Amino acid sequence: MSGTAYAKIDRALSSSASYIASRRGEISVAGYQEWVEKDGITTTSLNEDQINLSARFPRDKHDFVRRALSQCRALDIIADDHYDAEAVEQKLATVDAQYDHGNYLTYIFPEESALLYAIVRNTRPRRAACLGSYYGYWAVAAKAAHPELNMTLFDVNEVVMNLSRENFERLGLAGGTTFTIGDAEKFAFSLSDIDLLILDAEGPKSEDVPVDYRDKAIYYPLLLAAFSVLAPGALLIAHNVILSNFTDGVYFKAKQSNYREQYSKFLPFLRKHFVYTVIDSTEGTLVARKREP
């Protein structure tokens, strides 16, 4: 199935009494997670990742984004936490209605697209780079928020990059967007004055690959490669940063441990050079601002 993982999960669980109760706030997150681990994994068509991720869905997407923006503003990562839920909903609904997912499934969840849209809408960066753009579904939220944004997408896969280009063109957002097929680490030096860096790359999981380039550990070498081209005060937004286990689930305990291991170099580098916070979105979103000299 292609499209968004959220739509797939929501559709598969639409008749589940536990899922409906969780979405309504009638049972606790931990209570729903208990159902997931006891019955959900064996009674639905979803895989282990998908059924567990449903426990992290925010009950109200827009309220979640408002709180996330306030969290970022409190740390002086962003200066403006204004959020127009109706405008965000309308714009992203238009994008979704026209976006062709091809044969692919994206794990960018609705609140993560809305959060990126809102941050870009409020901060109006001039130049952005997305390292590991896949077929552009997260990056398009940034471009939709600020069509004048000069954006460079990087991915090693020619097929998904071509799909990105087709979608941006269909939406009238290809102007000022560069679609680069290749290794972002090698091309990063060619960029300049980047004030928004989006990270969602993924290296091979094989043990034959050097540990720094394995799976999400690749964030560290990519950030090192791009660091010198980031403008002072540049924003960094990274996907797949789950560092908390608020569902109290066995799955997320292991996931949290795995991410902390993969980010053992990335996070210390961030602490030294950035102010950052981790938003507990479905897949975890890190938002950071580069410290000024």
Side-chain angles (χ1 to χ4, degrees):
M1 175 184 173
S2 64
T4 68
Y6 174 78
K8 177 179 180 178
I9 295 167
D10 188 61
R11 188 180 305 114
L13 295 174
S14 61
S15 61
S16 163
S18 294
Y19 178 70
I20 293 168
S22 173
R23 301 297 283 151
R24 291 174 176 171
E26 295 170 356
I27 61 174
S28 68
V29 172
Y32 177 72
Q33 180 71 52
E34 185 177 348
W35 171 82
V36 164
E37 294 175 1
K38 182 180 178 182
D39 299 312
I41 193 68
T42 58
T43 59
T44 73
S45 60
L46 301 173
N47 64 33
E48 183 183 24
D49 290 335
Q50 293 161 354
I51 188 64
N52 277 282
L53 286 170
S54 70
R56 287 178 62 102
F57 288 178
R59 289 170 184 158
D60 184 315
K61 171 181 68 179
H62 296 302
D63 181 61
F64 178 91
V65 175
R66 287 189 189 94
R67 288 185 283 108
L69 292 171
S70 295
Q71 184 175 327
C72 292
R73 186 180 181 187
L75 293 170
D76 199 28
I77 295 172
I78 59 174
D80 183 357
D81 61 1
H82 172 73
Y83 187 69
D84 185 336
E86 183 177 352
V88 173
E89 188 70 29
Q90 289 179 352
K91 179 60 72 172
L92 292 182
T94 299
V95 169
D96 281 342
Q98 299 182 60
Y99 214 84
D100 178 12
H101 294 266
N103 296 318
Y104 300 98
L105 186 72
T106 178
Y107 279 78
I108 298 298
F109 287 84
E111 77 279 10
E112 295 163 349
S113 287
L115 177 60
L116 179 59
Y117 180 98
I119 289 174
V120 172
R121 186 71 178 172
N122 289 354
T123 60
R124 298 300 178 102
R126 296 166 301 163
R127 296 183 182 86
C130 183
L131 311 186
S133 59
Y134 197 29
Y135 62 95
Y137 184 72
W138 205 23
V140 79
K143 188 71 175 183
H146 183 24
E148 294 77 27
L149 175 65
N150 288 300
M151 172 176 273
T152 302
L153 276 57
F154 290 93
D155 203 281
V156 295
N157 186 319
E158 181 178 2
V159 176
V160 297
M161 188 59 77
N162 287 338
L163 184 57
S164 297
R165 182 185 293 106
E166 292 167 7
N167 276 299
F168 276 61
E169 289 174 348
R170 183 182 305 107
L171 290 162
L173 298 173
T177 305
T178 302
F179 304 89
T180 303
I181 302 164
D183 186 338
E185 185 181 18
K186 295 178 180 178
F187 283 98
F189 74 91
S190 64
L191 303 171
S192 62
D193 297 322
I194 296 297
D195 41 19
L196 172 63
L197 182 68
I198 301 169
L199 283 178
D200 197 18
E202 184 176 305
K205 293 179 172 64
S206 170
E207 292 187 1
D208 295 333
V209 176
V211 66
D212 282 355
Y213 292 86
R214 198 176 302 162
D215 202 5
K216 289 295 180 174
I218 200 170
Y219 281 7
Y220 176 63
L222 289 180
L223 181 55
L224 280 182
F227 186 70
S228 64
V229 303
L230 296 181
L235 293 178
L236 164 66
I237 302 180
H239 195 230
N240 295 113
V241 185
I242 294 178
L243 301 181
S244 71
N245 183 16
F246 66 83
T247 72
D248 199 27
V250 174
Y251 172 89
F252 288 112
K253 182 178 180 180
K255 200 82 167 174
Q256 178 185 13
S257 176
N258 181 50
Y259 278 136
R260 287 193 180 278
E261 181 179 349
Q262 291 192 39
Y263 296 144
S264 62
K265 293 183 179 179
F266 176 62
L267 292 176
F269 186 84
L270 282 175
R271 292 187 194 104
K272 183 176 181 180
H273 299 287
F274 292 79
V275 178
Y276 76 90
T277 189
V278 177
I279 308 298
D280 283 328
S281 63
T282 302
E283 283 260 71
T285 305
L286 181 144
V287 183
R289 177 180 56 78
K290 185 181 180 183
R291 298 183 192 275
E292 302 193 30

